[in-house]
Amino acid sequence: MSQVTEHGGGVWSIQVPIPDNPLGHTLVHVLDTDRGPVLIDTGWDDPASWTELSDGLTALGTSVQDVHGVVITHHHPDHHGLSGQVREASGAWIAMHAADTAVVRRTRESEPATWLEYLTRKLTTVGAPEEHIAPLLAARSSGGRTRTLPGLRSAVPDREIVPGELLDLAGRRLRAIWTPGHTPGHVCLHLEEEHPARLPGHGRLFSGDHLLPGISPHIGLYEDPDDATVTDPLGDYLDSLERIGRLGVAEVLPAHQYAFAGAAGRVRELLDHHEERLTGLLGLLATPLTPWQLAERMEWNRPWEQIPYGSRNIAVSEAEAHVRRLVKLGRAEAVEGTDPVAYVAV
C-alpha cells in the first residue's frame, strides 16, 4: 500500500523512497488545481521510487499521465530525480529557480572528468590527506566519468520560478519564496489559502529541505568549477530562515519527516543551533586548522572514523561553509603563508 497522507484542502503527500539513505523517503506533495494535479518535487530516479509515486497517484484517483505541472523546490536528486519521467509520461511542465536550473545544466553539460578534477583540487586546498585524494587521482587518470553521480541525466526545467510571484496554478494561490542556503536556488512555496482545519496563521508552507521539524539541513558550498566567487551559503541560509519565520504560517509541509506547526519556533531553534556551532568552532580555531582538520574535530552524528568516504566530502564542505561565515563576520581569518590554508579565531 502506497504511503499517502491527506492534508486537507486539496493537498496530499506521497512517501517516495530514497535508496540506501537514512532519510528513508521524500514527501512528494500533490496539489489539486483546476487544470489537474501539480507535484511539488518528484523523488529519486529509481524504479522502486517511480512505482511508489505512480501507485500513490493511483490511490488518489489520478495518475502520472494526468499531472499538469511539477514545481521543484531545489535541484537535489531526491527532489528532482523523477521530473523527466513525469514530463515524458504526462507532458507536464517543470519549474525551478534559475540558480538551480543553472546547476542542472552545468552538471549535464560537464566534460568527462571535470567534476573529478574540481573535487581533487578542492580537497587538496582544504587540506585533505593524500590517502583521501588518491582514489580521485586514480579515477581521473583513467579518464573515467562518474557515471553513477546523481544528476547526470536530470531533466532541464522549462519554466522559471520567479521569487515573490504567484505561480500560474489555476484556482490556487501559491507564491514562491527564494530561500538560498541548502542550494543557491532553493525555494519554499507559500500556499496563501486558509488552513483547512482553521489553524491560526497565514496559510501553509511547502518548505522543501529549508525547514524540517527535526533535522538541520546540510549547508555546504555552492560548487561551480568555473566560478571563483566566494559565496556565503550559511549566511544565505540564516537570512532565508528569518524571512520564513516572519511569514507566520499555520503549518509547514516539509519534504522529509512530517508536517508540523510552530514554524517561528523551529526557525529560532535552527538560528540558535548555528550560532552555538559557530561559537564552538571558534573554540576549535584557537589554534590554526585547515577546513579538513576542523571537520575531523567537529561533532557529527557519528565519530569521524566511522563516516564514509563520500560523507566526509560533505562534512568538510559544511565545515568550510561555517569557516567562511566566521571570516565574513570578522571572527576568524586565514593564517598568512599557510598551504593548505589554515584559519584561526580572532
Side-chain angles (χ1 to χ4, degrees), residues 62 87 101 201 249 255 270 296 313 341:
T62 185
R87 182 165 61 188
T101 296
V249 297
L270 287 166
E296 289 179 316
N313 294 340
V341 179

Side-chain angles (χ1 to χ4, degrees), residues 7 193-204 250-251:
H7 297 281
E193 302 169 9
E194 185 178 38
H195 192 282
R198 300 185 183 278
L199 294 182
H202 183 40
R204 291 180 280 181
E251 187 177 27

Side-chain angles (χ1 to χ4, degrees), residues 72-75 96-101 103 161 177-188 222:
I72 300 298
T73 60
H74 62 295
H75 72 82
M96 184 184 286
H97 187 281
D100 272 19
T101 296
V103 176
I161 295 176
I177 303 168
W178 185 34
T179 50
H182 185 56
T183 70
H186 191 292
V187 293
C188 292
Y222 300 151

